[in-house]
Amino acid sequence: MSELKVTAIKEGTVIDHIPAGKGLKVIQILKLDKLDGGALLLAANVHSKKLGKKDIVKIEGRFLSEEEVNKIALIAPSATVNIVRDYKVAEKFQVGIPEEISGILKCANPNCVSNHEYTTPKFYVISKEPLKVRCHYCERTMEEKEILANL
Ligand code: CTP
């Protein structure tokens, strides 16, 4: 086990290998600031062999849905999700960028219908590396920088 920067958790999820500086965004996108019950731990800017520096988010007593894991991938494609049970890592997997994104990303086109009607924004991923998506409604394409600004 790597050096423990923040305390180990008994039961829950550890999102590891988040690019440094993106940990708070992960917390925000998963709406973990509204978490009631378990502890939420953030280690920011800690040493990593693979990334140089990284952030880690630990969520006690909470497991993630597939959709939530997909959201993390947009912000932190390098992230690893660890499911912890009884203090042990029971499962570990790499996040993956989904084929479609709905609900979390706003279209950057101010005239897009998805910004004016009660429609759920929807995008198709046309490239994963570098990240590029196309709006289902107005066909505007958005690249990584614009995507991060509109999450
Ligand atoms: N972890 C935790 N609580 C536990 C067990 C593990 O918070 N009860 C955390 C560790 O601190 C680490 C992550 O979960 O950040 C993954 O744990 P582990 O697989 O033991 O660490 P590494 O081998 O360093 O993981 P990797 O190979 O993915 O870098």
Side-chain angles (χ1 to χ4, degrees):
M1 187 192 287
S2 60
E3 190 189 346
L4 270 186
K5 291 286 183 190
V6 279
T7 186
I9 60 170
K10 180 170 190 287
E11 200 87 9
T13 308
V14 175
I15 309 162
D16 201 353
H17 306 114
I18 302 168
K22 298 281 170 61
L24 267 180
K25 192 89 188 164
V26 169
I27 289 172
Q28 192 192 348
I29 209 160
L30 297 178
K31 298 189 167 66
L32 296 176
D33 46 340
K34 292 172 185 70
L35 187 75
D36 44 347
L40 169 65
L41 306 169
L42 166 66
N45 235 14
V46 299
H47 174 76
S48 158
K49 275 187 201 129
K50 285 184 218 162
L51 302 174
K53 297 267 187 187
K54 67 173 179 181
D55 289 359
I56 309 171
V57 171
K58 302 191 183 191
I59 326 158
E60 183 100 60
R62 172 103 148 47
F63 301 95
L64 302 176
S65 67
E66 197 183 333
E67 194 186 340
E68 288 175 317
V69 171
N70 289 344
K71 287 181 188 178
I72 296 170
L74 296 178
I75 307 165
S78 56
T80 315
V81 175
N82 298 272
I83 296 170
V84 176
R85 294 189 199 276
D86 199 18
Y87 287 104
K88 290 187 191 72
V89 175
E91 223 184 295
K92 184 193 288 281
F93 56 87
Q94 188 79 32
V95 300
I97 294 170
E99 303 297 324
E100 277 183 34
I101 301 162
S102 37
I104 53 161
L105 181 63
K106 269 186 11 198
C107 185
N109 170 9
N111 297 321
C112 178
V113 67
S114 68
N115 285 318
H116 297 282
E117 307 280 338
Y118 289 104
T119 34
T120 305
K122 182 170 159 182
F123 300 86
Y124 303 105
V125 174
I126 51 178
S127 160
K128 294 189 179 182
E129 180 76 63
L131 186 58
K132 205 170 174 183
V133 302
R134 181 186 296 118
C135 177
H136 167 72
Y137 297 97
C138 73
E139 302 203 324
R140 157 106 176 219
T141 58
M142 290 164 68
E143 293 182 3
E144 190 152 349
K145 204 169 163 216
E146 229 171 6
I147 293 167
L148 292 181
N150 284 284
L151 274 172

